Amino acid sequence: MTRGGTKLANSMLALAGHRLLSTISNAAASKKVVSGILVGRTVGSPAWSTTFLVRGPIFGVRNGGTMALGEKEGEEKKVSTTGTGTGGGSDNKDEKTVASYWGVEAPKVTKEDGTEWKWTCFRPWETYQADLSIDLKKHHAPVTFMDKMAYWTVKSLRWPTDLFFQRRYGCRAMMLETVAAVPGMVGGMLLHCKSLRRFEHSGGWIKTLLEEAENERMHLMTFMEVAKPRWYERALVMTVQGVFFNAYFLGYLISPKFAHRMVGYLEEEAIHSYTEFLKELDKGNIENVPAPAIAIDYWRMPPNSTLKDVVMVVRADEAHHRDVNHFASDIHYQGRQLREAPAPLGYH
Ligand SMILES: [Fe+2]
Ligand SMILES: [Fe+2]
């Protein structure tokens, strides 16, 4: 064979070898993926074999990477019910279905009394008891032009709100919480991006603002239990959210000092609104129904709590938000960045 022919033969062999090896690698990788999915199952047990047989033909290397999200849902369920379950060797079939998600088993969460924790939207370690001793009358007197602008912006928004809801405080609370839960998320998101952009710490403010947003969302989840939105109220929420989210986003970019001050005043209005709600409950114009179960668990309230107790804890939360936001604005007024002052974390 000529020198050129030998070279050609060698490169063909190399190519064939590479292909062959690649196939072997893929097969091995396929097994690896399947094994990876099954982490936590007892390898070698009959259950593992059953699971492998069901999954083996379904998932190749490619599908292995996408199998958890929807497209193989049917097979996923099938696998789940044929296996012996994960960790603990329980025979509960429902548990197996949940645990099949990438082989990650959901931890079993229980209350102090040993009963199962029924909420997936929040966990026992996120619950707390509201600080009802907080001063509800504290008010930041607007002095500067910017403060006055923030104050009157909020005051002017109250007029159409009063007109629309009048004395339907349950509905009013529910609708206002859809707005109140926006600033914390927007502010937290912008601080998050700033922290990434500038390679600097946040001083805990990202978490504080996101906690505030989550707390407001829990207010909404609570009031949803006592008031149901009508179709035009849902439409209003969508419109208001579209406008408010963008306006607040821009406002926070331009002046976080103004944005936090405005939220501080919004919270002052919320306190007023919930005080009126309580008055209506006291007068008997609104029925003081038992507190929703979600509220009892979230605020760790006694089981015999009522709507009035719920409104009181929500109002206390609003007073905390008021303080956090006025504080944040004050930091900016002093010409400092939020990260320079430790954030009031866990302060509801
Ligand atoms: Fe709220
Ligand atoms: Fe609030």
Side-chain angles (χ1 to χ4, degrees), residues 173 176-178 180-181 212-213 215-220 223 267 270 274 299 314-315 317-318 321:
L176 291 184
E177 294 299 351
T178 67
E212 181 191 298
N215 185 237
E216 295 285 19
R217 202 178 60 82
M218 286 307 295
H219 292 174
L220 175 66
F223 285 115
E267 301 291 354
Y274 283 117
W299 284 282
V314 170
R315 186 175 61 168
D317 285 350
E318 309 299 10
H321 302 158

Side-chain angles (χ1 to χ4, degrees), residues 113-220:
D113 60 6
T115 55
E116 196 177 345
W117 184 260
K118 63 192 266 195
W119 312 103
T120 49
C121 54
F122 66 101
R123 296 301 193 171
W125 50 89
E126 292 165 81
T127 64
Y128 62 98
Q129 281 187 314
D131 171 18
L132 295 172
S133 67
I134 192 163
D135 184 356
L136 298 167
K137 294 203 159 56
K138 243 187 330 183
H139 164 64
H140 180 277
V143 180
T144 65
F145 173 73
M146 192 175 267
D147 280 359
K148 284 178 184 165
M149 203 164 77
Y151 181 74
W152 288 109
T153 305
V154 171
K155 281 284 174 197
S156 61
L157 289 173
R158 187 172 153 185
W159 180 76
T161 313
D162 283 348
L163 193 73
F164 187 82
F165 294 107
Q166 309 211 333
R167 295 197 168 273
R168 291 182 298 132
Y169 286 101
C171 205
R172 180 189 177 120
M174 183 183 61
M175 299 288 281
L176 291 184
E177 294 299 351
T178 67
V179 174
V182 170
M185 185 57 70
V186 172
M189 178 183 69
L190 287 172
L191 288 181
H192 175 82
C193 292
K194 187 177 174 185
S195 167
L196 303 178
R197 229 171 34 239
R198 297 195 178 179
F199 302 91
E200 62 189 24
H201 287 268
S202 74
W205 281 94
I206 299 170
K207 206 165 184 184
T208 292
L209 295 181
L210 294 182
E211 266 181 11
E212 181 191 298
E214 177 63 7
N215 185 237
E216 295 285 19
R217 202 178 60 82
M218 286 307 295
H219 292 174
L220 175 66

Side-chain angles (χ1 to χ4, degrees), residues 15 19 29 34 47 66 68 95 138 140 150 193 195 205 207 246 266 294-295 327-329 343:
L15 188 65
R19 283 202 163 195
V34 174
T66 52
E95 211 174 273
K138 243 187 330 183
H140 180 277
C193 292
S195 167
W205 281 94
K207 206 165 184 184
N246 290 294
L266 265 176
I294 192 168
F327 173 45
S329 185

Side-chain angles (χ1 to χ4, degrees), residues 321-332:
H321 302 158
R322 170 201 64 193
D323 295 348
V324 168
N325 282 280
H326 280 320
F327 173 45
S329 185
D330 287 348
I331 294 170
H332 283 292

Side-chain angles (χ1 to χ4, degrees), residues 241-293:
Q241 191 175 87
V243 174
F244 184 67
F245 178 93
N246 290 294
Y248 192 81
F249 180 86
L250 271 179
Y252 201 96
L253 276 179
I254 298 165
S255 173
K257 178 163 63 176
F258 174 79
H260 282 296
R261 185 66 81 215
M262 203 188 83
V263 176
Y265 287 129
L266 265 176
E267 301 291 354
E268 287 184 18
E269 280 302 319
I271 296 166
H272 169 80
S273 203
Y274 283 117
T275 303
E276 293 297 307
F277 195 160
L278 286 170
K279 282 183 194 165
E280 293 297 306
L281 280 162
D282 283 340
K283 283 185 209 162
N285 293 338
I286 298 173
E287 194 188 346
N288 192 20
V289 293

